[in-house]
Amino acid sequence: MATAVPVERDAVAEAFPGPVREAELPGAVLHRTDGGPDVLAAGVGPALAAASTATALTAAALDGRPYGLVVSAGIAGGFAPHAPLGSLVVADEITAADLGAETADGFLPVTDLGFGTVTHRPPETLVRAAATASGARTGTVLTVSTVTGTAARADTLRARHPRALAEAMEGFGVAEAAAAHGVPVLEVRAVSNPVGPRDRAAWRIGDALAALTAGFGKLAPVLESWNRHDHR
């Protein structure tokens, strides 16, 4: 069974039609679909996403029905020209872009300080299958605590992470919780705005949510049939 952790739960619910039941968890509400994934609106930012996901994973394990996969899904900023508005991105790397320390010589990721991790890698076979089914691009999706709002910041991130296609605010937190439970993770994002100068008029949230909904319609068979034990 898979649990999805989207910004917009309707994108997943439409891909897995049927009655939706709500289950109250500490600090979160789980939406259970018949024959499909459990859906959790995890909140904004890596800390809340990690806490909400960990709560759902722990509750499922204690209930004797542990999850086999966690999917973090939502909208994101895309790095032009590689991830244009309305495109779909599947992460082959989920990276915390600002977890570390600023020094006189520049930014150091936490791993360069001798501890922690900054990147989680979803299963390669699942990434390939998801990208093929949905027509998504694959690359690094960055997790940030502060959304990029300037061209200089966008250039800095691309220089530091040349494979980055998109930035969002939850994926790494979801991946940390999944890793703590030994559960694979997948991140799927639809691009709603370009990464760079903040321009609300350029956002296309409706188009991105429509792309996410369409993408999950194509991903549903992949998520339903994928078995981690067949792809070690």
Side-chain angles (χ1 to χ4, degrees):
M1 179 175 290
T3 181
V5 189
V7 170
E8 175 52 64
R9 72 181 182 90
D10 290 344
V12 179
E14 287 189 26
F16 298 90
V20 177
R21 302 180 307 279
E22 292 189 354
E24 293 284 345
L25 300 176
V29 177
L30 197 65
H31 304 271
R32 289 182 169 148
T33 60
D34 284 351
D38 290 352
V39 181
L40 180 72
V44 177
L48 184 55
S52 299
T53 304
T55 296
L57 285 163
T58 300
L62 292 175
D63 194 37
R65 48 185 300 275
Y67 294 117
L69 175 67
V70 174
V71 181
S72 177
I75 60 176
F79 287 95
H82 307 289
L85 297 182
S87 63
L88 204 65
V89 174
V90 173
D92 57 18
E93 294 184 340
I94 302 169
T95 296
D98 48 14
L99 181 60
E102 291 289 349
T103 74
D105 297 321
F107 177 81
L108 289 178
V110 71
T111 48
D112 285 6
L113 302 176
F115 55 90
T117 185
V118 293
T119 295
H120 291 279
R121 292 177 176 82
E124 292 181 10
T125 54
L126 180 58
V127 170
R128 287 197 300 269
T132 298
S134 63
R137 295 161 167 81
T138 60
T140 301
V141 175
L142 303 179
T143 298
V144 296
S145 293
T146 301
V147 173
T148 298
T150 66
R153 173 65 173 168
D155 291 343
T156 297
L157 288 176
R158 279 305 303 269
R160 194 182 297 157
H161 305 281
R163 296 187 65 256
L165 292 182
E167 72 164 26
M169 301 183 74
E170 293 80 32
F172 185 79
V174 173
E176 285 277 83
H181 282 259
V183 180
V185 66
L186 184 71
E187 183 169 11
V188 181
R189 294 282 171 175
V191 176
S192 59
N193 58 278
V195 176
R198 187 172 175 81
D199 179 10
R200 289 291 298 269
W203 293 4
R204 297 292 181 268
I205 293 177
D207 292 342
L209 291 174
L212 186 64
T213 300
F216 259 95
K218 298 172 183 177
L219 282 174
V222 173
L223 299 180
E224 290 175 330
S225 63
W226 188 79
N227 186 325
R228 61 186 293 190
H229 301 295
D230 294 336
H231 301 278
R232 288 177 174 175

